[in-house]
Structure formats: structure tokens, C-alpha cells
Amino acid sequence: FVPIRQLNYHVRLWGHPHPDQAPLFLMHGWMDVAASFQFVVDALAQDRWIIAPDWRGYGKTQCPDTDHFWFPDYLADLDFLVDHYSPNAPIDLLGHSMGGNVVMGYAGARPARIRRLINLEGFGMPKTVGAMAPGRLAQWLDELKQPQTFNDYADLSAVAARLRKNNPLLSADKAAWLAPHWARPTATGRWEVQGDPAHKRVNPTLYRVDEHMALWQRITAPLLWVQGDQTDTDTWWKGRYTLQEFQERLQHVPQVESHTLGPSGHMIHHDQPQALAALLEGFLG
């Protein structure tokens, strides 16, 4: 646990610092936890110093009395964590999904801090326009007044079953290992997700593509982009944002190496840990 910005940030660590090797930060996605990267860490042939935090409001990084979350806080938390673990040297930085979106913005805001950048299916969001702002803000104000909850589960086997329902490619043994990291016991003996339900509330600010592309253009580190062959972005965004639009945005990043792994859906680090580890080792050097 590390004191970061008035929070007690929970961080998982593997390996030890190497004087001739950048530390590798692994940043998880929405409704995930740092332990989720264990299978990739297991598959790495080379010993590395690996740092994987639970984002605020996830896992064991609790945010009491918080009623909403927004992206600038994730970037600030990451900045403080980088300063804590590698104050004088660049890092290697990986993000999955929401974490991928965060690391792309961070690498544009702090380009000198990143040696190598990896984005696992952090596609960004559909384009918004200024006319959407009043409706978005009103929606956020309404949602602040509405209680947010997650389903709970009778036991760990039910948690594992839910994980496999979310990802049919997840094997039973991996689901059973993840279950007690993804959920925690309640006072009544049931199990609840280790995530703050306030994450379900809409972001009050719009996703302004031009601002994000201004950040992406400033990325100086080589970028490794990885996606699963079974990821269906059309189903996610129902035509509001296409894979072609993302590929056009990706052209704003100066140096990109792209790979598709399969069979894999969105949870690449669960579906193809060995193949992903091999890609990482080749890219990181």
C-alpha cells in the first residue's frame, strides 16, 4: 500500500528493480483488478520488476465517500505512482481497456517518462460534440441522486461462473483463481465485486477527440497496439464508433506496431497470456 493523493493505493509487485532495465507498469481496465495480470506475468520468460496498481475505487484501493470518478484523477494517480517507483528514469507502461485509454493520455502529457508504451484494446470513446454537453451534464446530475449497486453472489463458484459468462474463453481454472481477487466476502457471507458502484455513473465531461489526438500526437515512445480477433466493437458502440475510426485515430501516434491475437476477445491477458508475453518480451527488449 502506497499513500497517493489522500488514498492508500494498493499495488502488486513482482520481481525486483534492475539497474539496466525499466520497470514495467501494468494498468488494468474497468471493473478489473491488478491481479488480473498474473497469467501474463507467469508467462514471461525474463525476470522483470513489475508494478500493477488497483486503480482508485477498484480492488483494495478504496475511495470512501466518493460518488463519481473521472479520467483526470487516473492520470494524476499514475503520475504520482511513477514518481514513487521510478523518479529518475523512464518506465515501460501497459494499459488494458480503460487503462489503455489512460496510458495513451499519460504518454502524451508526460512523453519523457515513457520508454515503451503498450495498449491492449484501449480504443477510446465515440466522438462527442459540444451540443451534447447539456444532456450529459443533466444525466450526470440525475445519476448522482440514484443509488448505484452491483449484483452479489452466493459463493466463489458463482463469482467464477459470472467471470466465465463475461468471457466464454476464460478457462475454469483461471476463473477459479481470479474469483477471490475480483470479489470479496460481505458481512452476510455472500460475495461482492471489488469495485465501487459509483463507477457506473456517466462521466460529466465529453470525450473531445481533438483534445485526445493532440495528446496522442505528442507520444514519443514506440507504441505496441494489441487487439483480440474476436473483439466486436460494433456491438459495443452500436454504430456510434467503428474500428475504422479508431484505426484512423491511431495514425496520429508517430510509432505504432500492431498485432492481433487469437482466439481472443477483449480480455487478451486472460485469453492469450503466453502469446501476449512473447509479444511483450520482443517489444520491450
Side-chain angles (χ1 to χ4, degrees):
F1 288 92
V2 183
I4 296 290
R5 303 185 62 222
Q6 289 75 55
L7 296 177
N8 206 21
Y9 238 91
H10 180 248
V11 182
R12 290 186 176 272
L13 300 171
W14 294 266
H16 304 280
H18 295 263
D20 57 348
Q21 182 190 86
L24 174 59
F25 281 68
L26 306 178
M27 314 306 296
H28 69 78
W30 194 81
M31 283 304 132
D32 204 358
V33 290
S36 184
F37 290 110
Q38 182 67 58
F39 311 130
V40 176
V41 174
D42 288 342
L44 289 170
Q46 183 182 15
D47 178 56
R48 301 191 70 94
W49 189 32
I50 298 174
I51 299 159
D54 287 334
W55 285 121
R56 58 171 55 215
Y58 292 111
K60 293 179 171 61
T61 305
Q62 298 185 16
C63 282
D65 306 319
T66 299
D67 62 5
H68 74 286
F69 296 86
W70 68 326
F71 265 64
D73 272 331
Y74 299 131
L75 270 73
D77 293 350
L78 177 55
D79 197 44
F80 276 70
L81 287 164
V82 172
D83 285 350
H84 177 82
Y85 285 105
S86 187
N88 302 312
I91 67 166
D92 295 334
L93 180 61
L94 176 151
H96 171 249
S97 193
M98 181 194 81
N101 297 334
V102 175
V103 302
M104 293 290 281
Y106 184 74
R110 298 283 203 211
R113 303 295 278 122
I114 312 303
R115 189 189 76 97
R116 296 284 187 274
L117 182 65
I118 304 103
N119 184 349
L120 310 181
E121 294 220 343
F123 291 98
M125 299 294 290
K127 179 181 178 180
T128 60
V129 295
M132 297 177 178
R136 173 68 67 84
L137 189 56
Q139 180 183 354
W140 177 70
L141 292 171
D142 289 340
E143 290 184 3
L144 286 176
K145 300 174 183 177
Q146 300 167 0
Q148 303 291 328
T149 60
F150 287 123
N151 293 332
D152 60 5
Y153 304 90
D155 50 34
L156 281 175
S157 63
V159 175
R162 175 54 193 267
L163 288 169
R164 297 193 74 191
K165 181 180 179 181
N166 291 351
N167 178 14
L169 294 175
L170 183 65
S171 62
D173 60 331
K174 286 185 173 65
W177 187 89
L178 283 169
H181 297 283
W182 193 70
R184 62 190 163 215
T186 68
T188 63
R190 294 179 66 83
W191 288 78
E192 65 181 6
V193 174
Q194 289 207 82
D196 192 321
H199 287 292
K200 296 174 70 173
R201 293 191 171 104
V202 71
N203 197 311
T205 60
L206 299 177
Y207 187 89
R208 302 178 181 91
V209 173
D210 59 335
E211 295 179 7
H212 289 274
M213 293 307 98
L215 287 166
W216 289 19
Q217 288 168 1
R218 295 186 72 247
I219 294 173
T220 57
L223 169 66
L224 175 66
W225 163 257
V226 188
Q227 66 186 63
D229 64 345
Q230 296 183 21
T231 297
D232 185 359
T233 55
D234 289 336
T235 298
W236 286 356
W237 291 298
K238 299 178 174 59
R240 294 182 295 125
Y241 180 32
T242 66
L243 187 58
Q244 181 180 349
E245 285 181 83
F246 168 75
Q247 291 167 343
E248 291 171 356
R249 294 182 190 178
L250 200 58
Q251 294 175 14
H252 288 268
V253 182
Q255 303 178 67
V256 183
E257 176 184 331
S258 298
H259 291 270
T260 300
L261 297 182
S264 178
H266 185 54
M267 305 299 283
I268 301 171
H269 50 309
H270 295 171
D271 301 342
Q272 290 294 332
Q274 287 80 18
L276 178 57
L279 270 184
L280 294 179
E281 290 184 318
F283 180 71
L284 297 175

